Amino acid sequence: MRAATLEGAEIDLTPDMLTGLKMQLQGPLLTPDDADYEASRHLWNAMIDRRPAVVVRCLGVADVMAGVRFAREHDLLLCIKGGGHNIAGLAVADGALMLDLSLMRGVWVDRERRVAHAQAGCVLGDVDRETQVHGLATVLGFISTTGIAGLTLGGGFGYLSRRWGYTTDNVLGMEVVTPDGQLVHASADEHADLFWGLRGGGGNFGVVTGFDYQLYPVGPEVVGGLVAWPASEAPAVLELYRRLAEQAPPELTLVALLRPAPPAPWLPKEYHGKPIVALLACYSGQPEEGEAVVAPIKAFGQPIGDVLVRRPYVQVQKLLDATQPKGRRYYWKSEYLPGIEPALCDKVIEHAGRIRSPHSAVILFQLGGALNRFDDDHSAVGNRDARYVFNVGGAWEPPEDDAANIAWAREAWHDLKAFSTGGTYINFLTEDEGPERIEAALGTALGRLAEVKRRWDPDNRFRVNRNIAPG
C-alpha cells in the first residue's frame, strides 16, 4: 500500500508495518478495502473527495498516541478528523494517515465546579445533551452536528457568545498529543504558550483529544425560534434587526437570514421556494423576560411564519440542522463586521435576490458583547473588534451547478467585503483561501503563533490545516 510522506513523496506500508500498528490499537485500522473506510473518509461538505491511505479509528487517547508515533516513525502525512464538519475539508488528505476521532464522544459533567470534559470526537449536541441535564451550557455553535474540536480550536461563536465570548474563551484546559506522541495538559497554568496558541491557532501544534469547558446556568427552557416574512419586507425587517441588535441585552442573540423558503411545516406551502427574510432569536435568560424582549419581533408587520416560542435549549441548538445536512455541496465567503449599515443591508438584499440554489442563504450573525471585552492578545483567535459576521452561504446538490453557485458567492462577497473590519472567521474559510485570508483571520497573532509552532512542532508534522510555519 502506498502512502504520502510529509514532503510529498510516497512509501510502501507493508502488511507487517500495518499489523504492527494494529497490535497497538484498541480501535480498528481501516484501509480502502474495509467496509467502514468510505463512511469514515466522507465529510459534511460533499465537494471534498479525498482518500487517505489508512484510517485509525481511535477509541481513546492511547490510539491517538500510537497513530501519531507511527506517522512520525515513517514520516507520514498526518490528518485529523473530529466531527468532519469543516467546510474546507481539513480532516482528510490524499494518501495520509488519518486519525478519526469521531468515536471518542464521551462527556463528563462536574456540576459543582460547573465544568464539562468532552472528548474531541463530540459534536455540539453531545455536549449540550449532557450539560443540560444539570441546567448548564457552554458557548458552542449553531448546528448541533458540528464537531467541537474544529469549532473550538478556530474560535467558535454561537447563541451564548454575547454573554461569555468565543467558545475558546470558555476553555479551561485541553489534553494534547504532541508530535512525538506524548500526552500533555495545556491550561493557563500548564504549558501556557501552547494553551494560548490552541485557542484560535487550530490543529497546528498537536492532536487535542479532550476539552474542559466552563459551564453556565442556561435553560433547560429558553425563548428561541424564527419569524419569517416575504422578501419584499426585507428592508424593513433588516432595519428592525439593526435597531434591536444595537440595544439588545447580552442574553439575546439575533440572526438575520435571507434565502428561498425551505419546505418547513411552519411555513405556508405557497411560499416554499420563494424568497423570504427571517429573524432567528435566542434569549438565554429567564423565559419570562425573553418573551417581553422578543415581542417586537413577533408583532412586526405580517409574518408568514412564527415559531419564536419557549422551548428547550437543546431544541434551539438544532433549529438550523436541517439547513446544513451532510452530503450537500457547500461554498462560503465571510467577513467580520463592525456594525450594520443601510448600504450593507441594500447589498445583502441585492445578492440574496440572485441566489442560485434553494438551499443557499445570506446570513448576518450578531456577536457584539463579551468577546469585545477581552484584550486582543487574550488568545490567538483575535478579532476582538467584531460586532457581527456575515456569511454568504452557498449550498447545492448537483456537481454540475458548482460554477454558478461559487460565482454567486464570490460576487456577493466582492461587494459585501467593503463593510468588513478587515478580519474574517477562520472556520468559515473554504479550501481555495490563500495565506492572506489566514492573515485576515489571525492578524497580529501570526508572529507569536509561529513561535509556538517552532517550540511544539518544529518539523511541521501537523500541516494539514490552516498551516502556520515554524518561526
Side-chain angles (χ1 to χ4, degrees):
M1 176 183 296
R2 305 291 284 175
T5 68
L6 278 178
E7 301 306 325
E10 287 189 341
I11 66 167
D12 281 317
L13 295 180
T14 67
D16 286 347
M17 293 163 63
L18 294 178
T19 298
L21 176 57
K22 283 183 181 179
M23 292 176 64
Q24 301 176 57
L25 301 174
Q26 185 178 13
L29 179 67
L30 305 178
T31 68
D33 295 329
D34 291 308
D36 292 335
Y37 172 85
E38 289 296 320
S40 180
R41 77 174 185 91
H42 280 132
L43 304 178
W44 163 78
N45 186 359
M47 292 189 73
I48 311 301
D49 185 20
R50 306 189 189 118
R51 303 183 67 84
V54 291
V55 177
V56 177
R57 297 207 78 192
C58 304
L59 289 180
V61 175
D63 284 356
V64 177
M65 296 169 70
V68 170
R69 289 171 181 165
F70 183 84
R72 182 183 181 90
E73 179 183 354
H74 300 288
D75 204 35
L76 297 177
L77 185 66
L78 185 65
C79 57
I80 301 97
K81 175 186 175 184
H85 204 272
N86 179 265
I87 191 167
L90 298 178
V92 183
D94 287 324
L97 185 153
M98 183 171 85
L99 300 178
D100 181 354
L101 278 57
S102 62
L103 299 179
M104 297 173 57
R105 294 176 65 170
V107 180
W108 296 268
V109 177
D110 185 331
R111 182 176 60 184
E112 299 304 318
R113 293 176 55 229
R114 292 184 177 174
V115 174
H117 178 79
Q119 291 182 302
C122 288
V123 298
L124 310 193
D126 297 330
V127 179
D128 289 328
R129 183 172 60 252
E130 297 301 322
T131 59
Q132 279 292 281
V133 169
H134 309 283
L136 300 170
T138 193
V139 178
L140 296 172
F142 293 93
I143 305 294
S144 75
T145 54
T146 300
I148 65 167
L151 175 89
T152 304
L153 296 176
F157 65 87
Y159 294 110
L160 305 181
S161 289
R162 301 196 60 243
R163 299 182 74 179
W164 295 299
Y166 287 118
T167 301
T168 201
D169 293 333
N170 295 281
V171 175
L172 302 175
M174 306 184 203
E175 289 182 348
V176 189
V177 176
T178 61
D180 58 358
Q182 301 300 310
L183 181 67
V184 301
H185 186 262
S187 69
D189 301 318
E190 205 173 356
H191 304 305
D193 62 330
L194 178 61
F195 184 58
W196 180 88
L198 287 168
R199 291 178 296 144
N204 267 283
F205 316 107
V207 185
V208 178
T209 59
F211 300 84
D212 293 324
Y213 292 104
Q214 183 69 64
L215 302 176
Y216 305 93
V218 174
E221 189 177 65
V222 298
V223 173
L226 297 101
V227 179
W229 299 262
S232 58
E233 298 301 312
V237 172
L238 289 183
E239 173 57 23
L240 173 69
Y241 174 75
R242 183 198 65 77
R243 187 174 71 251
L244 292 179
E246 285 185 353
Q247 61 191 30
E251 293 85 357
L252 178 66
T253 294
L254 297 171
V255 181
L257 307 96
L258 292 87
R259 57 161 297 160
W266 63 279
L267 293 171
K269 288 185 178 180
E270 59 267 28
Y271 282 98
H272 291 181
K274 295 180 179 179
I276 62 168
V277 58
L279 295 186
L280 168 64
C282 176
Y283 187 91
S284 58
Q286 293 299 316
E288 300 80 11
E289 299 171 359
E291 288 173 329
V293 170
V294 304
I297 300 174
K298 296 172 70 68
F300 188 78
Q302 295 183 327
I304 59 172
D306 181 352
V307 286
L308 180 51
V309 296
R310 290 193 187 200
R311 63 173 80 231
Y313 178 67
V314 291
Q315 194 179 95
V316 172
Q317 287 282 67
K318 296 179 180 180
L319 283 175
L320 298 181
D321 284 7
T323 70
Q324 304 283 306
K326 183 176 181 179
R328 278 189 186 148
R329 304 174 77 79
Y330 295 96
Y331 185 88
W332 295 348
K333 300 296 281 187
S334 182
E335 298 283 333
Y336 284 119
L337 299 170
I340 302 296
E341 305 175 31
L344 166 71
C345 295
D346 291 343
K347 288 294 184 182
V348 166
I349 294 167
E350 176 186 341
H351 288 288
R354 299 176 183 171
I355 283 175
R356 303 297 298 270
S357 163
H359 310 302
S360 296
V362 182
I363 307 172
L364 297 169
F365 297 95
Q366 183 188 17
L367 292 180
L371 67 86
N372 307 122
R373 295 195 287 270
F374 290 95
D375 293 335
D376 283 343
D377 63 353
H378 174 72
S379 66
V381 71
N383 286 292
R384 298 292 176 177
D385 57 346
R387 261 65 180 184
Y388 301 85
V389 61
F390 79 73
N391 189 34
V392 180
W396 64 98
E397 292 174 351
E400 57 268 26
D401 291 349
D402 285 3
N405 284 281
I406 291 172
W408 166 76
R410 288 174 175 169
E411 289 166 6
W413 172 68
H414 182 270
D415 280 354
L416 292 171
K417 69 179 180 179
F419 303 94
S420 171
T421 62
T424 190
Y425 180 41
I426 200 164
N427 284 345
F428 282 178
L429 297 185
T430 49
E431 62 176 329
D432 60 353
E433 308 273 14
E436 74 283 355
R437 298 292 284 160
I438 298 176
E439 184 174 357
L442 297 174
T444 57
L446 275 172
R448 185 173 170 185
L449 283 167
E451 295 175 5
V452 177
K453 180 76 169 181
R454 176 178 52 80
R455 287 194 291 271
W456 287 94
D457 186 20
D459 298 324
N460 200 14
R461 295 193 172 275
F462 295 103
R463 62 180 64 184
V464 182
N465 47 40
R466 295 297 176 189
N467 197 236
I468 299 164

